[in-house]
Amino acid sequence: MTSHQTTGDRAPAAAGPRRPAPERREEVTDTPVPPHPWRGTAAALAVTRLMTAAIFLWAFADKAFGLGYATPGERSWVNGGSPTGGYLSSVDVGPMAGVFNSWAGSTAVDVLFMGGLLAVGVALLAGVALWPAALGGGLMMLMMWVAAWPPARELADGTPSMSTNPLVDHHLLYVAVLVVLAATAAGHHAGLGRRWEEAPLARRFPWLR
């Protein structure tokens, strides 16, 4: 009897030698670390800006009205005292000591110094014109660094200058803070920075921002 094979009854093909299945390797993918959200940066910059404003405005008020801390009332500016006379006349080290001594008590120098303190302080407080504030305030701080002349170990009379760092002191730190505040638009938070940038004058002259 002849057997008939249906389509589903085909004989299986001869199987060759089986090769081991390749080992499955689990791919390890590093989960990307999310970028730092910098939470609180705007608030931190605003606090730094307001604290720096307080330093400049307090210095102005103390020298102008003699609040009894660095400046006694009888030597205040409103009572005829010179805000820069005592400091500049005491400079005796550094390459510009003679120049600073000649400026001591000058009305023009007093007006420029006091006007600079007030202008920088108000700009920082309001959060506007931070680049001009950084330029003006930075120049003031650089001049005060030269007057203090931290590289000197001794004063003219041979006494120790008490300098703790020959390069960087608080004056240069203030310069860096002013530049950072301007570069990060620190006046946008808790300040009038955004409104100031939309003003026609600031749009026409971007450097005033």
Side-chain angles (χ1 to χ4, degrees), residues 21-22 30 43 47 56 59 64 73 75 85 92 97 100 110 117 122 131 135 139 146 148 162 166 190 194 202:
D30 295 333
V47 170
F56 279 85
R75 292 193 311 183
D92 60 357
F100 288 133
D110 288 343
L117 288 177
V122 171
W131 277 116
L135 178 62
L139 181 60
V146 175
M162 305 304 291
R194 294 186 187 277

Side-chain angles (χ1 to χ4, degrees), residues 94-141:
M96 293 186 63
V99 176
F100 288 133
N101 293 157
S102 66
W103 288 355
S106 168
T107 302
V109 173
D110 288 343
V111 171
L112 287 174
F113 178 68
M114 295 295 284
L117 288 177
L118 181 61
V120 173
V122 171
L124 291 172
L125 183 64
V128 302
L130 295 185
W131 277 116
L135 178 62
L139 181 60
M140 291 174 59
M141 292 297 107

Side-chain angles (χ1 to χ4, degrees), residues 131-202:
W131 277 116
L135 178 62
L139 181 60
M140 291 174 59
M141 292 297 107
L142 287 176
M143 294 292 287
M144 295 179 72
W145 183 88
V146 175
W149 199 245
R153 296 183 179 181
E154 296 179 348
L155 301 179
D157 58 1
T159 59
S161 66
M162 305 304 291
S163 174
T164 58
N165 189 313
L167 298 177
V168 180
D169 69 348
H170 62 284
H171 296 108
L172 297 187
L173 181 60
Y174 287 144
V175 174
V177 169
L178 291 171
V179 171
V180 168
L181 293 176
T184 56
H188 286 195
H189 188 79
L192 303 176
R194 294 186 187 277
R195 293 184 181 181
W196 171 254
E197 290 182 1
E198 295 173 356
L201 185 63

Side-chain angles (χ1 to χ4, degrees), residues 31-86:
T31 303
V33 178
H36 196 286
W38 294 102
R39 293 178 180 174
T41 301
L45 289 171
V47 170
T48 303
R49 173 174 58 82
L50 294 175
M51 291 179 66
T52 309
I55 291 175
F56 279 85
L57 292 176
W58 178 267
F60 171 83
D62 184 63
K63 294 180 182 300
F65 306 107
L67 302 181
Y69 286 83
T71 307
E74 60 273 13
R75 292 193 311 183
S76 65
W77 198 25
V78 296
N79 286 329
S82 172
T84 64

